[in-house]
Amino acid sequence: MFWTFRRSMDAAPAAAPVEPPLTRPKEGARAGRYNPMLARRMMPSAARADRLTASWPSTPLPADDIIRRHQRVIVARSREQAANNDYARAFLRMAVQNVVGSTGIRMQAQARDPDGSLDQVANDALEVAWWDWCRRENCDVSGRRSFRAMQAAAIQSAAKDGEFVVRKVYGRDAGPWGFALQLLDPQRCPVDHDEDLRRDGSFVRHGIEFNRFGRPLAYLFTTTDEREADYFYGSRAFVRIPAAEIIHGFREEMVGQKRGLPWMATSLWRMQMLAGYEEAALVNARSSAAKGGFLKWEEGYGPELDEEEDLTVDVEPGTWQELPAGVTPVPNHPPYPVGETAPFRKEMLRGIAAGLGVAYNGLASDLEGVNFSSIRQGALDEREYWKELQEWLVETLIDEVFKEWLPRALLAGRVKTPKGGTLKAERMDKYREVEWQPRRWPWIDPRADVAAAVEMKNNLMGSFGQFIRDQGKDPSTVWREVAEDINQMRAAGIPDEFIAVVMGKQTGAIQSARDAAADGSAPP
């Protein structure tokens, strides 16, 4: 039974509010009526609770609970797959190749003079000094990895463990430059170590100490000593390192997330099941190829065998043997495989590739049945994902390292010009202007892509510099190399018209320019 409230419009207003009387709704009235059948029909299918969704979670978990309960298990399984699964290793290799590349993410100094022009002397000095520090004996406190190798290790750790941890080391232990880096295993920071609210408002989550606003204050490690190879859990004193000395990189997927999850997390289950399927298929195929069978004795034949005795006949491929009287061979030829392995593997790998964010054809090394348009579109989509990861690595690791390196390099007088001078530390704000050039990829269709780039340049839809940067190169370096090539060709006695042809001009255009210059209608 449904009721509505109604206020009399012609009644005199009372001094105090009076509760309106309860009245029945008019017949057929729909205002305020609740229809449970209609509500069930309008319910989103993802919110239904029935026998098909009984195992589906219905209560959201905060990021802290997800990390505390599952991170260590997922990391353990991710490391196992990276060691034993070919497709997991392929993904790690693809991540390093496409995010870091063969030369790493390189620095391009952009210091400018007051008039806005590039200070090329200072920029060259900064790039040379940075390249010198990036050598393995300078940037790695252990002297084993160059900065490019450390970038690759950070990407591998993030993909496999969900995060990377780099410690900044200063002083005498840091080597010749007084500043170096130390790669740390993220699992040495115990993810299950929490402390509730302290008197000063700080707290500890997943081995990290935070202030009341969630800014990291310090990291707690079971050990940072390379001589200790094992993890330590339970009651053990922690090594407390201030957060200012730690670079902790992970991709945040949930608000409030404080530790990372492996990039392979959603694909691990399929990887493990596919590996088990392939192993079973291989065993079955070997059994089928063996062409075994059984021996059946006819009535009244056969020896008297004990319970533990078996009668076997060794058969070699391509031979016939005589069997005893009364023995009938019963062949056992399993029909497997019959062709379902390849389609099943392909479907599983498509799901794995989707979870990893890469193209199936590259992960599975399968180019069967693809055409130019499809593989081009897949490569372009995948490259956008790699560009996103490159920018993440720059923001998380490389920028932080450069900010620490620059003031120490300038104060130590290690950034030197070709004439023996040094860059002054008081101009540090000027020298902070840099661009980071990640690796780029060759054109998929060079002829068409170059033509499109030239058309865009001619219509002022792009600049020379941008097209050069899209190839992973520094425009100023390219132009200086071109100028040097021209000077060397002239020094060798090559005529300018041939140089112009080499540089892309047509001989007809050169002759027209010469004629115009001779007539005085155009400058020579």
Side-chain angles (χ1 to χ4, degrees):
M1 184 177 294
F2 302 94
W3 299 87
T4 61
F5 292 96
R6 184 176 65 188
R7 181 184 295 277
S8 175
M9 301 301 297
D10 53 355
V18 179
E19 292 292 334
L22 291 172
T23 61
R24 290 178 178 271
K26 294 181 179 180
E27 191 69 26
R30 307 180 70 87
R33 179 169 295 186
Y34 173 76
N35 189 333
M37 296 295 294
L38 178 62
R40 279 196 294 269
R41 288 197 298 268
M42 296 297 293
M43 180 186 298
S45 58
R48 294 175 182 172
D50 52 28
R51 62 183 182 84
L52 299 178
T53 61
S55 61
W56 206 352
S58 58
T59 302
L61 291 176
D64 287 350
D65 283 354
I66 294 175
I67 298 297
R68 183 185 304 108
R69 296 181 184 183
H70 307 300
Q71 198 246 24
R72 183 178 294 172
V73 175
I74 297 177
V75 170
R77 293 176 177 176
S78 178
R79 290 185 176 185
E80 187 276 332
Q81 288 293 290
N84 298 308
N85 192 295
D86 295 328
Y87 300 112
R89 293 181 69 87
F91 170 68
L92 295 179
R93 183 175 63 252
M94 293 171 66
V96 171
Q97 288 177 345
N98 287 279
V99 178
V100 178
S102 59
T103 59
I105 298 178
R106 294 169 293 176
M107 186 255 280
Q108 295 176 359
Q110 299 293 311
R112 295 181 180 273
D113 291 326
D115 61 356
S117 61
L118 289 173
D119 186 349
Q120 201 59 56
V121 174
N123 291 336
D124 289 344
L126 285 168
E127 292 176 5
V128 169
W130 174 256
W131 177 85
D132 186 36
W133 178 82
C134 289
R135 296 161 63 181
R136 63 181 184 178
E137 61 268 22
N138 296 326
C139 70
D140 186 3
V141 71
S142 66
R144 295 196 302 265
R145 304 177 186 89
S146 66
F147 192 53
R148 184 208 63 81
M150 298 187 82
Q151 295 174 35
I155 286 295
Q156 274 197 326
S157 181
K160 182 169 53 178
D161 301 335
E163 54 192 348
F164 68 83
V165 177
V166 177
R167 182 183 183 182
K168 308 169 192 173
V169 183
Y170 310 98
R172 183 177 300 176
D173 293 336
W177 288 72
F179 171 66
L181 305 175
Q182 180 188 15
L183 286 173
L184 297 177
D185 185 350
Q187 289 301 302
R188 293 190 183 275
C189 183
V191 71
D192 57 353
H193 178 65
D194 296 338
E195 293 184 24
D196 294 331
L197 193 64
R198 299 173 175 177
R199 292 182 178 179
D200 59 355
S202 64
F203 60 95
V204 176
R205 287 290 181 274
H206 315 315
I208 307 173
E209 184 180 335
F210 297 91
N211 68 5
R212 59 190 298 265
F213 295 103
R215 179 183 289 272
L217 300 176
Y219 286 76
L220 307 179
F221 293 90
T222 56
T223 181
T224 59
D225 193 340
E226 291 292 334
R227 296 172 297 180
E228 298 182 6
D230 298 330
Y231 297 128
F232 299 96
Y233 304 114
S235 58
R236 177 178 170 87
F238 294 110
V239 179
R240 185 181 186 274
I241 300 179
E245 300 180 13
I246 293 295
I247 301 176
H248 180 207
F250 66 93
R251 301 188 69 199
E252 185 177 358
E253 301 176 4
M254 299 169 283
V255 175
Q257 184 176 345
K258 301 174 180 65
R259 298 286 295 268
L261 291 173
W263 298 352
M264 300 189 294
T266 59
S267 300
L268 289 174
W269 184 83
R270 276 192 176 91
M271 287 183 184
Q272 176 70 1
M273 296 300 105
L274 179 58
Y277 172 81
E278 289 178 343
E279 181 181 2
L282 178 60
V283 171
N284 204 346
R286 291 185 62 184
S287 299
S288 177
K291 302 296 183 185
F294 305 96
L295 299 177
K296 179 180 178 181
W297 291 96
E298 298 180 5
E299 186 69 25
Y301 292 91
E304 297 291 338
L305 300 177
D306 296 336
E307 294 181 357
E308 298 181 357
E309 290 187 71
D310 292 325
L311 177 63
T312 60
V313 177
D314 295 330
V315 179
E316 296 181 2
T319 62
W320 294 84
Q321 292 189 357
E322 182 180 358
L323 296 177
V327 175
T328 302
V330 181
N332 179 31
H333 299 160
Y336 193 86
V338 293
E340 68 272 17
T341 303
F344 177 77
R345 182 192 291 116
K346 180 175 291 189
E347 291 304 316
M348 292 286 285
L349 284 176
R350 283 174 175 168
I352 292 172
L356 297 177
V358 300
Y360 156 78
N361 304 97
L363 180 68
S365 299
D366 182 10
L367 300 179
E368 181 182 0
V370 300
N371 55 41
F372 176 79
S373 299
S374 62
I375 198 169
R376 183 179 188 274
Q377 186 61 43
L380 292 177
D381 292 342
E382 183 180 320
R383 287 178 182 181
E384 292 302 316
Y385 175 63
W386 298 130
K387 289 179 182 179
E388 178 187 347
L389 293 180
Q390 288 173 344
E391 190 63 26
W392 170 79
L393 184 63
V394 168
E395 295 174 353
T396 307
L397 174 65
I398 301 177
D399 264 343
E400 293 296 319
V401 172
F402 179 74
K403 291 176 183 177
E404 294 285 339
W405 171 85
L406 181 62
R408 290 167 176 81
L410 293 175
L411 291 172
R414 300 189 68 100
V415 186
K416 299 181 180 181
T417 63
K419 295 183 179 181
T422 58
L423 301 188
K424 304 302 180 182
E426 55 265 24
R427 301 177 183 174
M428 190 179 304
D429 290 339
K430 169 183 175 180
Y431 303 139
R432 283 198 181 103
E433 297 299 323
V434 298
E435 291 183 358
W436 299 104
Q437 182 60 57
R439 72 149 293 180
R440 286 297 182 259
W441 301 269
W443 281 307
I444 299 176
D445 185 1
R447 182 184 297 273
D449 292 338
V450 170
V454 172
E455 186 73 17
M456 291 178 65
K457 184 265 298 179
N458 293 340
N459 288 280
L460 301 182
M461 299 174 65
S463 64
F464 281 108
Q466 183 58 48
F467 293 128
I468 294 174
R469 278 188 287 269
D470 287 343
Q471 299 304 306
K473 300 176 182 179
D474 182 6
S476 60
T477 301
V478 172
W479 293 328
R480 282 185 291 172
E481 290 176 352
V482 171
E484 182 64 25
D485 289 344
I486 294 175
N487 291 333
Q488 291 182 5
M489 285 189 285
R490 283 175 175 169
I494 299 176
D496 285 351
E497 55 266 25
F498 290 102
I499 296 177
V501 172
V502 172
M503 302 308 296
K505 287 189 175 182
Q506 300 297 323
T507 55
I510 298 173
Q511 188 62 42
S512 298
R514 284 185 170 182
D515 295 341
D519 295 340
S521 58

